[in-house]
Amino acid sequence: MKRIFLLIALFLIPLQVFSQEENSDTEEAPVQVMVPRDVFIGDSGQIQYSFRSPIDFFSFASPSLINDEVLNLQLAPEDFLVDTESCLVKQCSLIRNGINYNLCITIIPWITGEIKFKEFNLTKICRIKPNETQEEIEAKEVVEQGSDFPVMLSSITILSLAEKLNEQNLRNPKSPLLMPGTNYIILGILIFLVVMLFVFCLVVVKFQQILRHIHILKASYSSMKNVYMTRNKFRKLMKSKVDDQTFAQRWQRIMRLYLRYRFNESFDSVTGKMITAKLDNITGGFLYEMVPEAFDELTSLFVRTDYIRFAYGSIDSRTNKAGFGENERQELVERSKAIIDSFEKGEEE
């Protein structure tokens, strides 16, 4: 009797071992790991869920989501999270290696403690296409049934960095790190602002005085320009080949134009004898007191050139020469330059 039981036991043991090996080839318990193992708030972590299944999940998906053996899944937080505000889903993909699959979900947790998941249908997630609405997903779910593959992820624990470092109180804030040379740049800017503020205050206090100096400089520049242009016109006049009457006429035009810009008054209609009287009236007698010789000299030059202009070719010119003598043109121009210099120096004094 014992021999019969022994024979039956020897016959059943190989069958049981063969059956276990066959089941291990087709089904294996899923394995879930967290990478990295310790995840803190704000860190990026990845849930890796490895399993074996004869179902071809890639056949359900849109070809645009497949890249070689990687399927990008449209997994939303409400599909598998109990608390949708507990973390952010950055990426979800399904990696295939024969009948071996690895579901990778990259998350960023926002809370400490335990994050719980709810069961979801992986086949349904694989069927979701890009930009597909919830209504379209639900309508497709009614039509396409079968081949369901439920996935239930184990809860994960998010650690607190304060607890790990054994810190109960907030640390004192540190000053921001500065680039080399920043202190010198800030110091330079402050010095520049102080200097600009000082200059602004100085301008406000001495505004009238500054305006007066600007007016003086402007007048001085205009006077220098007038003198330069007058001397330049005299040089051109000396080079011109004209008769005495024309020379005298051009000389008076140059001198009248100089006096007009110098004293800001027109001398075009003033006779030669009245030139100095108008100058004395304009300056209030001040300039005549400084350079009386220049006034007398200017009057004599205008009287001389008036005679040449109007008596040239007349009967009177036969007895009194109505023309320039030898080197008199050059002397006329030099005396005119001396008068101009006297006016400029006398005005400055």
Side-chain angles (χ1 to χ4, degrees):
M1 190 68 178
K2 290 182 180 180
R3 291 180 179 179
I4 294 174
F5 282 114
L6 182 61
L7 290 174
I8 293 173
L10 292 173
F11 178 75
L12 292 176
I13 289 174
L15 291 177
Q16 184 176 3
V17 172
F18 177 77
S19 176
Q20 290 178 352
E21 290 179 353
E22 185 177 1
N23 291 335
S24 64
D25 291 337
T26 59
E27 295 183 3
E28 187 174 311
V31 177
Q32 177 180 326
V33 294
M34 188 68 189
V35 180
R37 184 182 64 180
D38 297 334
V39 180
F40 302 93
I41 293 179
D43 291 343
S44 180
Q46 188 178 77
I47 303 172
Q48 296 183 359
Y49 183 82
S50 302
F51 62 93
R52 303 182 69 184
S53 175
I55 301 175
D56 186 7
F57 296 98
F58 282 54
S59 63
F60 305 134
S62 173
S64 62
L65 299 176
I66 300 175
N67 183 15
D68 292 335
E69 296 298 316
V70 178
L71 170 61
N72 294 317
L73 300 178
Q74 308 295 311
L75 183 63
E78 56 270 13
D79 294 331
F80 73 109
L81 287 171
V82 175
D83 182 6
T84 57
E85 302 295 331
S86 59
C87 64
L88 171 68
V89 180
K90 289 184 61 179
Q91 186 181 8
C92 181
S93 60
L94 182 64
I95 303 174
R96 179 176 62 182
N97 185 13
I99 62 173
N100 296 314
Y101 290 92
N102 190 16
L103 178 64
C104 300
I105 305 174
T106 304
I107 63 171
I108 297 179
W110 299 129
I111 62 172
T112 58
E114 190 177 34
I115 296 180
K116 297 182 179 181
F117 304 99
K118 60 184 178 181
E119 185 179 278
F120 64 94
N121 187 359
L122 183 58
T123 306
K124 173 187 173 183
I125 301 301
C126 292
R127 289 193 174 104
I128 299 176
K129 297 180 180 180
N131 302 324
E132 195 171 24
T133 63
Q134 187 64 29
E135 292 77 7
E136 293 174 344
I137 296 173
E138 294 176 356
K140 183 190 298 183
E141 187 177 0
V142 175
V143 177
E144 299 176 357
Q145 295 181 351
S147 302
D148 292 344
F149 191 85
V151 174
M152 185 61 192
L153 299 176
S154 302
S155 60
I156 59 174
T157 301
I158 305 302
L159 303 178
S160 172
L161 187 61
E163 295 179 358
K164 182 178 180 180
L165 299 177
N166 196 21
E167 295 285 348
Q168 301 298 328
N169 299 321
L170 294 176
R171 296 183 179 180
N172 295 328
K174 294 183 178 179
S175 58
L177 298 178
L178 300 178
M179 297 179 62
T182 304
N183 292 333
Y184 297 103
I185 295 175
I186 296 175
L187 181 61
I189 293 174
L190 291 177
I191 294 174
F192 175 77
L193 292 176
V194 171
V195 172
M196 292 302 296
L197 181 61
F198 174 77
V199 172
F200 176 77
C201 295
L202 186 64
V203 169
V204 172
V205 172
K206 298 187 176 182
F207 183 71
Q208 295 296 332
Q209 187 176 356
I210 292 174
L211 285 181
R212 192 179 303 110
H213 282 289
I214 292 175
H215 179 72
I216 293 173
L217 290 175
K218 185 178 179 181
S220 177
Y221 171 76
S222 299
S223 179
M224 291 175 60
K225 183 179 179 182
N226 187 29
V227 172
Y228 171 78
M229 293 181 66
T230 302
R231 289 178 175 273
N232 190 35
K233 290 175 183 178
F234 280 146
R235 284 194 297 268
K236 292 181 180 180
L237 180 61
M238 289 298 299
K239 293 179 181 179
S240 63
K241 305 296 182 180
V242 294
D243 55 30
D244 291 341
Q245 185 183 20
T246 305
F247 188 92
Q249 184 178 0
R250 291 184 180 179
W251 176 89
Q252 284 202 9
R253 187 184 305 150
I254 293 173
M255 284 303 298
R256 290 178 188 275
L257 193 61
Y258 161 76
L259 295 173
R260 176 182 179 180
Y261 286 109
R262 182 65 182 83
F263 298 100
N264 198 24
E265 286 285 343
S266 176
F267 289 82
D268 295 341
S269 60
V270 182
T271 61
K273 292 182 179 181
M274 298 300 296
I275 288 288
T276 54
K278 184 166 184 176
L279 284 175
D280 191 54
N281 183 39
I282 293 172
T283 59
F286 171 77
L287 188 59
Y288 180 79
E289 293 178 359
M290 300 298 296
V291 285
E293 299 84 1
F295 273 67
D296 297 337
E297 185 77 358
L298 182 63
T299 302
S300 65
L301 293 182
F302 266 98
V303 171
R304 174 60 178 158
T305 53
D306 275 342
Y307 178 76
I308 295 175
R309 288 176 59 198
F310 299 112
Y312 185 79
S314 64
I315 298 175
D316 187 61
S317 64
R318 297 175 185 176
T319 56
N320 298 318
K321 185 178 179 181
F324 293 111
E326 186 179 357
N327 298 326
E328 189 177 357
R329 290 188 178 187
Q330 181 67 37
E331 183 182 352
L332 176 65
V333 171
E334 294 300 328
R335 290 167 66 184
S336 302
K337 292 180 180 178
I339 292 171
I340 292 174
D341 292 340
S342 298
F343 283 167
E344 299 298 328
K345 292 179 181 179
E347 187 77 9
E348 291 178 0
E349 294 176 0

